[in-house]
Amino acid sequence: MPASGDRGRLAHVEIGVRDLGRAEALYTGLLGFPRTRTTADDAGRPVAVLGSFPAVRLVEVGPAGRPTGWDADNRQRGIRHFGMKVADVDAWVARLRAAGVAFDLGPFDAVGGVRIAFFRDPDGTCLELVQGYVRHHNLWSEQLAQQEIDGDRDWDGRPRFDHVAITVPDLDQALTFYAGRLGLGRIGQVVRPADENGFLITNLRAAPATLEVFSFDVATHARDDAGEPDALGLRAIGITGAGADRTGPGDVALRRVD
């Protein structure tokens, strides 16, 4: 167990892309994430690090990159999407559409009191824009919920790293690992009573971001490409704390960041 007050933090999300220039035209050119450095992974693949902490790590796997195993059914385990907070979803949707970006869903008002929209990057990665702060039906920590609001006092409203969503097969097991072992703070839950599959969202504070944990009353199914170095799309989460550098509950590849 982590020491009292020693909470894990979400350091980055790793995304495989065919071409860094094409990907950065979206992430940097349109969304405004600054490139902070260029590096390489262990196999020598070029990596663009966008932002600081947490960051977006774009790994160029080239034209032969393996297509993502992601599908649109949230019952598929693994990383579901990368979410960005904005002050005005509708304005950003209009701006991105004017630049030729197509949206899969939204904007619409979602359960939990936020307004959201979903689109894809050039290699099929699912991205979300979200406006507002979640109103949890089961609020476990008002202090952790308030941390996000307080952290945005000087925010200019442009896209910022907000959350990464994952689907897990067993919520109790996931909480034992992500909250108990890695030390992420338990914020609360968003209940979707009308969902026939028992869809439940449990939010964990991985300051200064959030890990959204999706769980269901019905069976989930595997995603086979978690963390594969030649895979496109959402591949891994960088996180501080003991227990990283492994596959976590929900077929999620975790990279330890000290």
Side-chain angles (χ1 to χ4, degrees):
M1 292 286 290
S4 178
D6 182 19
R7 298 198 181 278
R9 296 188 295 164
L10 203 160
H12 67 254
V13 62
E14 181 180 293
I15 301 172
V17 302
R18 290 187 175 89
D19 180 85
L20 278 179
R22 183 178 69 163
E24 284 193 86
L26 172 67
Y27 288 97
T28 298
L30 292 177
L31 295 172
F33 285 90
R35 183 197 280 215
T36 53
R37 63 189 176 98
T38 303
T39 183
D41 67 8
D42 292 341
R45 297 179 179 88
V47 177
V49 180
L50 311 182
S52 54
F53 199 104
V56 179
R57 285 176 56 90
L58 302 178
V59 182
E60 185 177 74
V61 299
R66 188 154 53 87
T68 178
W70 184 93
D71 68 43
D73 184 350
N74 276 328
R75 292 172 297 179
Q76 182 193 44
R77 299 194 292 272
I79 306 175
R80 299 306 308 154
H81 64 259
F82 164 48
M84 294 160 281
K85 184 82 75 180
V86 294
D88 188 333
V89 161
D90 293 79
W92 275 97
V93 168
R95 177 176 178 175
L96 292 171
R97 280 178 172 157
V101 177
F103 276 76
D104 294 342
L105 290 170
F108 63 94
D109 295 324
V111 176
V114 292
R115 188 162 176 79
I116 61 177
F118 291 91
F119 63 107
R120 309 283 186 93
D121 80 358
D123 295 293
T125 298
C126 185
L127 306 174
E128 179 186 15
L129 297 177
V130 55
Q131 173 186 333
Y133 301 96
V134 174
R135 295 196 296 270
H136 296 88
H137 301 106
N138 301 324
L139 180 61
W140 296 334
S141 174
E142 184 175 350
Q143 179 183 12
L144 290 176
Q146 188 64 37
Q147 278 184 6
E148 180 185 6
I149 299 171
D150 292 343
D152 281 347
R153 286 177 178 170
D154 297 322
W155 174 49
D156 61 9
R158 292 182 293 182
R160 66 158 178 81
F161 196 123
D162 183 67
H163 69 271
V164 177
I166 65 172
T167 290
V168 301
D170 184 283
L171 180 59
D172 289 338
Q173 177 196 42
L175 290 177
T176 296
F177 181 80
Y178 291 109
R181 185 170 180 181
L182 295 188
L184 307 191
R186 304 179 186 219
I187 307 171
Q189 295 178 314
V190 177
V191 182
R192 302 166 63 96
D195 189 280
E196 62 183 7
N197 295 316
F199 184 15
L200 177 68
I201 300 173
T202 302
N203 286 325
L204 303 178
R205 186 68 174 160
T210 297
L211 185 68
E212 281 189 355
V213 180
F214 293 175
S215 59
F216 297 85
D217 290 340
V218 299
T220 58
H221 57 279
R223 176 176 168 182
D224 297 328
D225 62 349
E228 292 296 327
D230 62 342
L232 297 165
L234 292 159
R235 304 168 2 148
I237 297 172
I239 200 161
T240 65
D245 260 351
R246 58 162 285 177
T247 299
D251 304 333
V252 177
L254 301 172
R255 310 283 193 238
R256 181 183 178 118
V257 177
D258 295 319

